[in-house]
Amino acid sequence: MSAIAFSIGPLTVRWYGVLIVSGIILAVFISNRLAARHNIPFDSLLDLALVCVPLGLLCARLYYVIFNWSYYSAHPEHILAVWRGGLAIHGGILGGALGVWLVGRRQKIPFLLWADIIVPGLILAQAIGRWGNFFNQEAYGYETNLPWAMFIDGAYRHPTFLYESIWDVLGFALLLALSLRRPPALKPAGCIAACYLVYYSLGRFFIEHFRTDSLMFGPLRAAQLISIAGIFLGIILLYYSCRQQQTPRPGQSKPRRVQR
């Protein structure tokens, strides 16, 4: 299939960009619904998105370029060519987390609270974005004769972008169910974010094994190393959040709107 969605005169719009933008919009919509359960207004979420989305995209590209520096140092004109693909989700997560920390401090909203709110939408956006890899004919796996193999780059291969998309959709259902299962006041901050870290990292670790285009850290796959770190960090965060006692603060007996 063509990587180009449509063209208007000299402007070419690719499916890769359409799907990423669609995922971001849907993630903001879902996050807004979850933020409302914490009496956080849409303006606060919009401020967060206006910082986290550009910072996440910038870091996603920077991460990819750094791990492919041997190519980009010889072709610097391609560094900004994001329409060719090359956005690493781990870089995007790190950049987005930095944005959450910066904006959360100014808004005086705890980092872990924001993290719990946005991760269900984030993992769904990841599921949608993976189909951009399909249109770009990238992020595929080794050759195989399995019944669900897809014909890519001259051979039948593991559709690893499909594996991850399905894994992420299931993860969205899980995280959303956990988010809605109990009233916000009864859930320790950070438990949903911890589940995201463990769940996504576990799936990515195994799926990465089948990919042919893994970013490498020496002889090791960078995504698998970060996935291992994500699993341990998620377990530690889950342990920490579960030990937190939810005690009402003075003057917070009633729901309140975040002051801006």
Side-chain angles (χ1 to χ4, degrees), residues 61-198:
R61 183 60 175 177
L62 182 62
Y63 183 101
Y64 185 85
V65 169
I66 289 173
F67 278 97
N68 284 284
W69 186 243
S70 59
Y71 172 81
Y72 287 105
S73 60
H75 302 87
E77 69 278 7
H78 292 166
I79 290 178
L80 298 179
V82 294
W83 53 88
R84 293 172 174 263
L87 296 176
I89 186 58
H90 284 125
I93 292 172
L94 292 173
L98 176 60
V100 170
W101 181 75
L102 292 172
V103 177
R105 288 192 61 182
R106 184 175 65 83
Q107 296 176 336
K108 301 192 184 307
I109 299 177
F111 174 86
L112 291 179
L113 175 57
W114 263 136
D116 283 349
I117 289 170
I118 65 178
V119 292
L122 170 62
I123 199 169
L124 182 59
Q126 290 175 232
I128 295 171
R130 278 301 170 199
W131 284 94
N133 299 137
F134 168 71
F135 285 101
N136 275 1
Q137 296 286 277
E138 60 188 4
Y140 51 76
Y142 295 108
E143 294 184 30
T144 180
N145 58 359
L146 291 171
W148 56 81
M150 297 183 70
F151 192 77
I152 305 171
D153 196 22
Y156 285 94
R157 303 176 180 274
H158 284 283
T160 49
F161 49 80
L162 176 61
Y163 297 166
E164 188 168 332
S165 182
I166 294 173
W167 181 256
D168 290 347
V169 169
L170 295 175
F172 165 70
L174 172 65
L175 295 178
L176 186 62
L178 291 174
S179 297
L180 300 176
R181 183 169 176 264
R182 300 168 66 189
L186 299 181
K187 285 197 295 287
C191 63
I192 307 300
C195 291
Y196 165 80
L197 284 172
V198 174

Side-chain angles (χ1 to χ4, degrees), residues 191-212:
C191 63
I192 307 300
C195 291
Y196 165 80
L197 284 172
V198 174
Y199 178 89
Y200 176 70
S201 298
L202 186 63
R204 180 62 186 270
F205 178 86
F206 287 103
I207 293 171
E208 192 68 21
H209 173 74
F210 296 99
R211 287 182 56 167
T212 60

